[in-house]
Amino acid sequence: MSGSSPPDRLAKATSHTASMHAGGESDEQVVPAKRPNNQDPTWAEGVEGSCSTKGNTEEAHTHRTQGRERVSQGLRGVREAARRDKKQKFTALLHHGTVDLLRDSYHSLKRAAAPGVDGGTWQQYGEGLEERLSDLHDRVHRGAYRAQPSRRTYIPKADGRQRPLGIAALEDKIVQQAVVTVLNQIYEEDFLGFSYGFRPRRNQHNALDALAVGLRRRRVNWVLDLDVRGFLDNVSHEWLVKFVEHRVADRRILRLIQKWLKAGVSEDGEWQETKVGTPQGSVMTP
């Protein structure tokens, strides 16, 4: 519009008590831009995101709120331990995967998301939700839970190529979101302050704001713009698990991750094994 100019990123970024040069510490102060209003601090910023709970009954809302408080208290202890000891390996994480956390995970998923190989939708799973979540919780903790293959679909890229996506079954999304929530308590204490990719309450706009501050306040001689081509399609399962094992020693959590990595993909009704890579579009992949 004439007579106006886009908001200045430096002014926008410095209007908050933040710094992108916070010594590499991973805390809330390193986010210079306004955080999204629709994201819960304990949820992962993944493909599913979070959604409004309008239309639910007051009783159900109260039930979930009380459950979320219990979940947060338990996970707060994990985060505090991760903050105190950067080398601690966590051996008992799965017990935080309660029915309450599974319920929160279910409600954080997009209601209109495309179904996976099971054809199940968010609305269908919500019929008899408590019984379904109780059964899912039991199977996960008994080791009887089985990951289903992701449904392969494609979306066009700007260069004309096709980007493969893997759409997980709804139950897999729920369990993945719960595990992401638990693991975030550890890794959010490990990540560097200037890391923005796929993190709770952070997005590309936050990164651009921080970059604007850095370019204008520090002497910058060059900028490196790097993209690892096909990384998610080729990541080594073995090395991925080895890296997770630096902090996670709960064999049950590790087995869940391996189940999702090995579940394969289904394309045109045919199952394909996945020896490398992790499905793009998965709740767990980031």
Side-chain angles (χ1 to χ4, degrees), residues 226-232:
L226 174 67
D227 180 29
V228 181
R229 180 180 298 174
F231 172 75
L232 292 177

Side-chain angles (χ1 to χ4, degrees), residues 16 28-29 31 33-39 41 201 203 206:
H16 300 268
E28 295 182 5
Q29 284 78 15
V31 184
K34 184 177 180 181
R35 67 183 57 165
N37 294 322
N38 65 337
Q39 290 183 336
R201 296 171 297 169
N203 55 38
N206 302 144

Side-chain angles (χ1 to χ4, degrees), residues 4 8 17 21-22 28 30 35 41 49 56 58 82 84 97 102 107 124 129 133 144 153 177 183 233 237 260 285:
S4 63
D8 183 83
T17 57
H21 312 293
E28 295 182 5
V30 300
R35 67 183 57 165
N56 295 322
E58 181 177 352
R84 287 194 305 267
L102 292 175
H107 284 287
Q124 290 171 342
L129 178 63
L133 293 179
T153 186
Q177 182 64 64
L183 294 184
D233 295 329
H237 293 174
W260 293 321
T285 292

Side-chain angles (χ1 to χ4, degrees), residues 40 77 161 208 284:
D40 187 295
R161 293 182 298 167
L208 289 171
M284 190 68 180

Side-chain angles (χ1 to χ4, degrees), residues 194-215:
F194 48 76
S195 171
Y196 287 86
F198 297 104
R199 293 181 59 187
R201 296 171 297 169
R202 296 186 178 209
N203 55 38
Q204 64 271 33
H205 301 294
N206 302 144
L208 289 171
D209 291 340
L211 182 62
V213 174
L215 290 174

Side-chain angles (χ1 to χ4, degrees), residues 100-273:
D100 289 328
L101 181 56
L102 292 175
R103 185 185 304 107
D104 276 353
S105 298
Y106 166 78
H107 284 287
S108 74
L109 301 179
K110 283 186 177 180
R111 303 184 180 188
V117 294
D118 61 342
T121 66
W122 190 92
Q123 290 79 6
Q124 290 171 342
Y125 199 87
E127 300 172 2
L129 178 63
E130 294 306 315
E131 292 78 8
R132 292 179 186 271
L133 293 179
S134 179
D135 175 67
L136 178 59
H137 175 268
D138 179 66
R139 283 184 281 125
V140 168
H141 284 261
R142 285 192 295 108
Y145 161 79
R146 295 291 181 266
Q148 299 186 64
S150 297
R151 182 171 67 84
R152 174 61 53 82
T153 186
Y154 296 88
I155 60 173
K157 299 179 67 173
D159 59 6
R161 293 182 298 167
Q162 296 286 312
R163 179 189 177 196
L165 294 182
I167 303 176
L170 190 71
E171 275 199 342
D172 292 332
K173 291 180 182 179
I174 295 172
V175 182
Q176 287 180 14
Q177 182 64 64
V179 172
V180 165
T181 302
V182 174
L183 294 184
N184 269 350
Q185 310 313 307
I186 301 171
Y187 290 111
E188 280 301 303
E189 295 301 323
D190 291 350
F191 288 144
L192 298 178
F194 48 76
S195 171
Y196 287 86
F198 297 104
R199 293 181 59 187
R201 296 171 297 169
R202 296 186 178 209
N203 55 38
Q204 64 271 33
H205 301 294
N206 302 144
L208 289 171
D209 291 340
L211 182 62
V213 174
L215 290 174
R216 298 192 187 189
R217 288 189 172 182
R218 298 173 70 92
R219 180 177 297 176
V220 177
N221 295 322
W222 50 267
V223 174
L224 176 63
D225 183 4
L226 174 67
D227 180 29
V228 181
R229 180 180 298 174
F231 172 75
L232 292 177
D233 295 329
N234 298 284
V235 64
S236 165
H237 293 174
E238 180 182 1
W239 279 105
L240 188 152
V241 173
K242 283 184 178 180
F243 278 114
V244 173
E245 288 176 335
H246 283 299
R247 286 294 248 166
V248 178
D250 187 328
R251 305 310 304 178
R252 297 180 299 174
I253 292 289
L254 293 171
R255 280 196 293 269
L256 282 174
I257 294 174
Q258 290 168 327
K259 284 180 180 180
W260 293 321
L261 290 173
K262 301 297 184 183
V265 297
S266 177
E267 184 172 1
D268 296 329
E270 294 187 6
W271 178 80
Q272 300 176 19
E273 183 180 8

